[in-house]
Amino acid sequence: MRWKTFLTTSAYTVVTLFLAVGALLFFIPKYFVLERFFADSKIFVLAKGVKEGASDLVYIRGRVFYQGQAVGNFTELNFYLLPLPGAQWLCPRGQARASLKPLEGAIRLEFNRFGCTVYAQSVEGNLDLKENTIFGKLTIKNLRAKGNYPPIEEIVLNFKGKTFEGIIKTKGITLKGRGKIEFNLWRLENATIEATFAGSGLKITVEGKLFNPRVVVR
């Protein structure tokens, strides 16, 4: 199903793009540093223009690809250093922002009607990512399914450190569940997930690598 692809591509790409902010620190020119970082992360940013300032770098009107697959589009993809290092992804269908919270040792991700990916109509919520924990709430609307499957109407996830609870709504069915995540913010490729959602005689189990999980529907 396409929502598994969302975890595999879009989620990983958004987080990795925002982590790239750190690559801007103390490096000049910033463009070549970021491009190398993207290449190492299997991300390709195709833009109509790039503007580099003393404390920021802005990609203008383009698309983002991960492992050769289109992930989303943007009017601006902005990486900046002041007042604190951060990044912003803007498109006509909303925005996402990442910023460092140095006193808390965290990265704050904010999604405001974010519909810039090819996988969902919108993403809403705030997440605080620390080295080994996630806190916050995320709501995904109309997550598109592959083939003839209808979109998943809504996914709501509440993260509480290393555990989370949530609901999935699709075709008039509501599934409730919970799970746990094991990860290191700086080694996301090794992150794992284990979760179960159930309701109306249907059960979905998600386990394995966070960005390439095994999904079983019973």
Side-chain angles (χ1 to χ4, degrees), residues 111-127:
F111 299 91
N112 182 13
R113 296 183 296 105
F114 182 68
C116 307
T117 77
V118 300
Y119 302 108
Q121 178 180 331
S122 70
V123 181
E124 192 86 26
N126 299 323
L127 296 177

Side-chain angles (χ1 to χ4, degrees), residues 57-81:
L57 180 69
V58 183
Y59 291 83
I60 303 170
R61 293 192 303 276
R63 293 184 292 168
V64 178
F65 298 82
Y66 174 65
Q67 292 187 335
Q69 296 184 353
V71 173
N73 64 83
F74 59 89
T75 52
E76 283 191 6
L77 194 58
N78 185 6
F79 299 89
Y80 53 87
L81 292 174

Side-chain angles (χ1 to χ4, degrees), residues 7 11 15 104-109 111 125-138 157-165 179-186 188 191-193 210-211:
L7 289 174
V15 173
E104 300 178 26
I107 296 177
R108 164 61 66 93
L109 300 182
F111 299 91
N126 299 323
L127 296 177
D128 286 333
L129 279 65
K130 297 188 177 182
E131 185 174 5
N132 300 111
T133 56
I134 304 176
F135 295 90
K137 181 178 179 180
L138 199 65
L157 299 174
N158 287 285
F159 294 90
K160 303 177 179 180
K162 293 187 177 182
T163 64
F164 63 91
E165 298 177 347
K180 62 180 180 179
I181 294 178
E182 296 287 342
F183 81 104
N184 183 301
L185 182 59
W186 313 112
L188 288 176
T192 61
I193 184 173
L210 177 61
F211 299 107

Side-chain angles (χ1 to χ4, degrees), residues 3 152 154-157 165-170 172-178 196-205 217-218:
W3 69 277
I152 297 175
E154 185 177 58
I155 298 177
V156 181
L157 299 174
E165 298 177 347
I167 63 171
I168 297 174
K169 296 181 179 180
T170 181
I173 298 174
T174 298
L175 307 176
K176 297 182 179 181
R178 61 183 62 194
T196 300
F197 295 86
S200 302
L202 183 64
K203 183 178 181 180
I204 298 178
T205 301
V217 181
R218 295 186 178 90

